[in-house]
Amino acid sequence: MWSCWLVPAFCWLVHLCVAQSLRPQIASPQLATNNPTFTTIALEKPFCVFDGSLSPVSMISSAVTDNSSKPLDSTFQEVNGGQLGPYKAAVLNVPDCASPPKLADIRNVKKASDVLKQYLFRVGDDVSCLYDPNFLGVCNPPLASDTTYRFKYILVDETLGIMKDETLWSDPIKTNSVKKSSTIDTWPGRRSGGMIVITSILSVLIFLLLAGLFASVFFAITGSEDSATTETRHISQTVQQVAPRPQASSDRADQ
Amino acid sequence: MAKGDNGVRCFQGLLVLGNVIIGLCGIALTAECIFFVSDQQTLYPLLEATNNDDIYGAAWIGIFVGFALFNLAVLGIVGVIKSNRAMLLAYIILMLITYAFETASCITAATHRDFFTRNLFLKQMLEKYQNPEPLNNDDKWMSEGVTRTWDRLMLQHECCGVNGPSDWQNYMSKFRNINSDSEFPWPRQCCVMNVQGIPVNLDGCKLGVSGYYNDKGCYELIAGPMDRHAWGVAWFGFAILCWTFWVLLCTMFYWSRIEY
């Protein structure tokens, strides 16, 4: 009789030992690149950590630390989002150890949803349960940004309602911090070389053109005065050559 | 004239040739600027929202300057052949005014091109995309333009954000104010869509699984056409002005040497 007791006790002890050396892991970064975000953290489900063959069981994921042996029942609001103590975030079925999802299958569009559902669990996924007065399930509201969380999986026997096994607390995982958009500096820095070339050369050319305009107007005016006097001298000389001598003295007097 | 007839004829021929080239370049400038103003990629709302749309102003000036250059070139050719002082004086003065406008256009286009940085478009995207509470009608108009343009860009070119989808995750934004992070880590348009316009796998997109979201940034697609626009207006205008400078100087010299 006691041998039968020993065996399950021994088995129970072994399984307790196995789970108690493992920690929840964050989902593979090669698969889920957007992890963690401001308000969510996606964790790998505990494959081959708990033995689900003993009895129908469920698991609980929670944040922060606690030392009691009863399965947690605190909700998100009761512990102020995990600041005062851990809270129950979800109730999941024990994942199938014999056939874990193949991550390579994620490329197949038809299998992708199943692979994701079986492989990982996203803490902070449910935005509406906090504000829904009729919500009856386990609420998994968004996490706070720029905050460190720790998680633990607990194996609970649903029929008896007691905790059978638990993992260690995970390594601290921090959600992303937020930068305000007003901190973005839009000053372009130095001017480009092309802009300096264009501006300087065109400014010089305009100046030269204006100088050329004034010079040509100036020369045109002085040139016309010169040519006017030269022309009258030419005309008078030709007239002088044609007309007889007596006229020359009167022309000279005119000049 | 005091010079030999051959010299004068040669000089006139050079001036006529110079004006022909100015006329052709004027038409080309008009055509190029009309092309830019017509905004094939419909990126104008992005510039309008940054209050930095002066490259379009430069292109508009370019249209009218090009047309004016063509007309003045015709006037110049007629004036040179007839050696008419009044015509050439009108030509010189009007050309100088046109020259000044084109200089303004070139310098404006070159200067404002320098303002196009990633941060400029990033800040505008974060502050205006899907802005739920615009301050006034002007802000509302700009926000709607930005939202429309970004939606179209992201869907058409399969890109997300300015540098990548991480823009939405690194900064607060008006979009983030109304859309929860778990449901919309980035806009739905960043997800890979099927032919009906529905994301292929929404969970994959939200978690950032490669193949289900677009991880390319849109900056190259915005900056590329705008750079070409600005440089096209600035440098082609600059080339025309360099040529016109010599033709104008020679015409001034010719004008000053014409005798009544």
Side-chain angles (χ1 to χ4, degrees):
Chain A
M1 204 58 175
W2 64 270
S3 61
C4 289
W5 276 105
L6 258 177
V7 167
F10 182 66
C11 289
W12 182 77
L13 274 171
V14 165
H15 289 299
L16 196 56
C17 286
V18 167
Q20 283 214 335
S21 64
L22 297 171
R23 300 169 190 273
Q25 298 292 327
I26 197 164
S28 160
Q30 279 87 29
L31 180 75
T33 55
N34 186 28
N35 192 23
T37 69
F38 292 151
T39 56
T40 65
I41 296 177
L43 299 172
E44 249 182 33
K45 284 191 181 169
F47 286 95
C48 306
V49 169
F50 299 125
D51 185 2
S53 62
L54 291 173
S55 52
V57 289
S58 55
M59 290 183 325
I60 298 174
S61 163
S62 61
V64 189
T65 48
D66 188 80
N67 285 324
S68 69
S69 58
K70 276 205 297 276
L72 277 171
D73 250 344
S74 351
T75 62
F76 182 84
Q77 290 106 318
E78 283 167 21
V79 293
N80 201 15
Q83 274 178 349
L84 306 170
Y87 67 95
K88 182 161 84 174
V91 173
L92 310 159
N93 286 327
V94 177
D96 190 359
C97 183
S99 55
K102 291 198 264 304
L103 292 185
D105 275 348
I106 198 79
R107 307 226 169 271
N108 185 340
V109 175
K110 295 198 190 81
K111 295 188 192 165
S113 287
D114 289 330
V115 168
L116 284 174
K117 252 198 271 286
Q118 286 167 22
Y119 172 66
L120 53 78
F121 167 68
R122 209 171 179 218
V123 184
D125 216 3
D126 197 345
V127 238
S128 54
C129 66
L130 267 185
Y131 309 106
D132 184 358
N134 299 324
F135 188 78
L136 294 171
V138 178
C139 195
N140 179 16
L143 307 171
S145 66
D146 204 17
T147 313
T148 314
Y149 287 89
R150 307 176 81 173
F151 302 92
K152 173 190 268 210
Y153 284 118
I154 299 177
L155 185 69
V156 170
D157 188 334
E158 263 180 341
T159 44
L160 301 170
I162 53 163
M163 183 179 87
K164 283 189 123 68
D165 202 357
E166 60 176 3
T167 62
L168 294 173
W169 285 106
S170 70
D171 294 327
I173 304 174
K174 193 161 183 221
T175 47
N176 280 346
S177 63
V178 186
K179 281 186 271 199
K180 290 179 93 111
S181 62
S182 53
T183 60
I184 300 175
D185 179 20
T186 56
W187 178 247
R190 34 182 291 261
R191 299 284 176 205
S192 64
M195 174 259 165
I196 293 180
V197 162
I198 288 181
T199 310
S200 52
I201 291 182
L202 288 182
S203 310
V204 166
L205 291 185
I206 286 241
F207 170 72
L208 289 175
L209 276 180
L210 286 175
L213 176 71
F214 290 134
S216 64
V217 166
F218 175 73
F219 281 124
I221 292 177
T222 54
S224 71
E225 280 171 5
D226 279 342
S227 64
T229 48
T230 323
E231 274 175 18
T232 41
R233 217 175 284 129
H234 276 156
I235 293 168
S236 60
Q237 280 177 2
T238 39
V239 168
Q240 195 184 1
Q241 282 165 8
V242 169
R245 290 215 115 208
Q247 298 255 352
S249 57
S250 58
D251 289 329
R252 260 186 240 115
D254 282 87
Q255 285 170 21
Chain B
M1 292 200 64
K3 289 190 214 154
D5 240 5
N6 277 340
V8 171
R9 286 265 173 256
C10 186
F11 197 62
Q12 277 181 328
L14 277 177
L15 283 180
V16 167
L17 175 70
N19 277 303
V20 164
I21 293 182
I22 289 178
L24 295 175
C25 287
I27 297 182
L29 182 67
T30 302
E32 184 202 29
C33 290
I34 289 179
F35 174 71
F36 286 137
V37 163
S38 68
D39 195 16
Q40 299 295 317
Q41 280 85 11
T42 328
L43 293 172
Y44 182 70
L46 293 184
L47 285 186
E48 195 185 19
T50 59
N51 290 320
N52 214 341
D53 57 353
D54 284 326
I55 58 171
Y56 280 86
W60 276 106
I61 295 177
I63 293 177
F64 295 112
V65 160
F67 188 60
L69 281 176
F70 173 70
N71 292 329
L72 285 175
V74 170
L75 175 68
I77 291 171
V78 170
V80 163
I81 289 177
K82 286 191 171 173
S83 287
N84 186 327
R85 275 202 127 185
M87 267 188 172
L88 282 182
L89 184 63
Y91 168 84
I92 288 171
I93 298 210
L94 290 174
M95 258 301 200
L96 274 176
I97 295 173
T98 310
Y99 198 95
F101 272 105
E102 181 57 19
T103 307
S105 164
C106 293
I107 294 180
T108 304
T111 310
H112 283 271
R113 151 72 197 90
D114 284 349
F115 283 97
F116 297 155
T117 53
R118 286 171 184 266
N119 280 354
L120 178 73
F121 295 110
L122 176 63
K123 187 164 185 175
Q124 180 208 69
M125 180 182 80
L126 294 171
E127 289 178 357
K128 292 212 156 52
Y129 181 75
Q130 289 195 15
N131 185 1
E133 287 158 351
L135 299 166
N136 48 35
N137 270 347
D138 194 35
D139 196 23
K140 183 161 174 277
W141 171 263
M142 293 201 277
S143 300
E144 282 172 4
V146 167
T147 306
R148 222 177 25 240
T149 308
W150 271 106
D151 285 341
R152 189 185 46 80
L153 268 178
M154 291 197 283
L155 286 173
Q156 210 169 42
H157 300 284
E158 291 173 0
C159 60
C160 185
V162 174
N163 300 309
S166 54
D167 288 340
W168 297 107
Q169 284 293 309
N170 290 339
Y171 292 97
M172 276 305 288
S173 57
K174 293 280 191 291
F175 175 78
R176 180 65 53 227
N177 289 348
I178 45 170
N179 294 299
S180 68
D181 173 55
S182 57
E183 195 54 31
F184 291 92
W186 33 65
R188 281 282 181 268
Q189 286 85 353
C190 291
C191 300
V192 172
M193 303 281 194
N194 59 15
V195 280
Q196 277 100 16
I198 303 169
V200 168
N201 186 318
L202 199 51
D203 288 323
C205 179
K206 287 193 258 182
L207 284 165
V209 179
S210 86
Y212 296 103
Y213 77 116
N214 299 318
D215 55 2
K216 199 174 62 168
C218 297
Y219 181 65
E220 306 304 328
L221 297 153
I222 300 172
M226 285 188 188
D227 278 353
R228 282 193 287 278
H229 173 143
W231 286 333
V233 171
W235 286 109
F236 187 47
F238 179 73
I240 293 176
L241 289 180
C242 285
W243 176 262
T244 310
F245 170 74
W246 291 111
V247 173
L248 258 184
L249 266 186
C250 293
T251 312
M252 283 181 202
F253 174 72
Y254 183 80
W255 176 81
S256 70
R257 305 296 286 169
I258 295 176
E259 290 186 5
Y260 279 112

